[in-house]
Amino acid sequence: MKNPIFDIENWREIGTTLARNKTRTFLTAFGIFWGTAMLAMLWGGAGGLKGMLMRNFNGIDTNMGVIFAGRTTMSYQGFNKGMRWSIDEADITSIRRIAKDIEYASGVSQASVNIAYATKNKNASIAGVEADYFRIQAPQLIKGRLLNESDIYNTRKVALLGRSVADEIFGTEEPLGKFININGAYFQVVGIVAQLSEVSIGTRLDESAVLPATTMRRAFNRGDNVDFFIFTAKPGVDPDEVKPYIVRAIRQNHPIHPDDTPAIQMMNVAEQFRMVNNLFLGVSILALFVGAGTLIAGIIGVGNIMWIIVKERTQEIGIRRAIGAKPRDIIVQILSEGMLLTAVAGIAGICLATLVLLVVDHLSYDPILGSAHFQLEFSHAMIIMIVFLILGTCAGLIPSIKAMRIKPVEAMRDK
């Protein structure tokens, strides 16, 4: 006897059997179809929601820390509490010498200025940065170049203009190579940039001009002070592990009590990213839980229709057993019906979910931030299908065993 799995006539008979139970088959197939679609959409949608949030951090290094000065809360070395202090170049030099696990670092100075070109001017912010700044918070370079080590070392009077500032003061005129007036000092425009992320560390690049740190301090009499210090830790090192070395370096240059923790403050951006990842891990688990509930409802439907099919075909099964059908053949046929129903409805559900996610991804696309990745990965689709097929097969296992145990004499007497 042929193997029922490879017997074309057997599959035709399965189709005929399912067709005879149109209403039950349709309702069961719809339950599986909807369960698969829901699970796939929830899984892909959770990834898309995370992508929408994470793309707001585009260009920002996820292993970053920000050090800034607070007020002292304890008297120390003759200085009263409440004293203000500032991070300076001596601190940055000490930090780079002591904190060996820092990968990239930059002091950042900020100011509000008036930027003018020809007859147009605009109030904006400026930021004085070092070359590593663009490795920590990468901008979108629209044209020209970024600032480099040579600009910093030679105190060049060059500037990057944010896209919005350039559009307002230059209009349709080409800005590269032109000189702009920033509070009476002239700087040559060498690049136009835009901010990739919605989150800003300091000034927003679109609305700012970026200058070499050394040039800014000299041109605007800022001395050696900086407003804050940003850094990234080496791979595998958390910024919190670097903080004690930074604090030690700073306390060598300032009268800050060893126990005065609030005087030297740090924002650990890596910790914020971990919180976001944990949040969306919970969302993904919830999505899978809801989808699994819908899945189970569809699988229960498969089990029910298999019970009904076995009951309605009791005489047929008995006759087949009487003429020599093996128990294995009966089991395979009943299981095949459940697998066919699950496979067809499951594939249709995954196709629907893929189309819906494609439309949502297209609607959420941003020209600068890019795609949010509302999509179902092929591996995830295969996992869903395999799980559905296994559960669908298990749902038909008990009815198939019942069919196998039907005695031919009793089956042919069944009405």
Side-chain angles (χ1 to χ4, degrees), residues 55 58 140 163 194-197 206 365-371:
R55 71 183 183 181
N58 283 352
Q140 179 189 15
R163 177 178 50 187
Q195 186 154 320
L196 285 171
S197 67
D206 296 62
Y365 180 80
D366 186 278
I368 296 177
L369 301 179
S371 171

Side-chain angles (χ1 to χ4, degrees), residues 126 155-157 182-187 211-223:
I126 57 172
T155 321
R156 289 177 179 161
K157 300 186 75 173
I182 303 179
N183 280 10
Y186 285 86
F187 294 81
L211 314 176
T214 52
T215 309
M216 178 176 173
R217 289 197 297 271
R218 180 175 296 181
F220 301 105
N221 298 319
R222 295 294 298 266

Side-chain angles (χ1 to χ4, degrees), residues 341-375:
L341 189 63
T342 303
V344 173
I347 291 172
I350 287 176
C351 290
L352 173 66
T354 302
L355 289 174
V356 171
L357 291 171
L358 181 64
V359 171
V360 174
D361 192 59
H362 177 73
L363 295 175
S364 63
Y365 180 80
D366 186 278
I368 296 177
L369 301 179
S371 171
H373 301 294
F374 280 94
Q375 58 189 18

Side-chain angles (χ1 to χ4, degrees), residues 45-60:
L49 289 174
K50 181 179 179 180
M52 285 188 70
L53 179 61
M54 295 304 292
R55 71 183 183 181
N56 291 326
F57 298 92
N58 283 352
I60 296 180

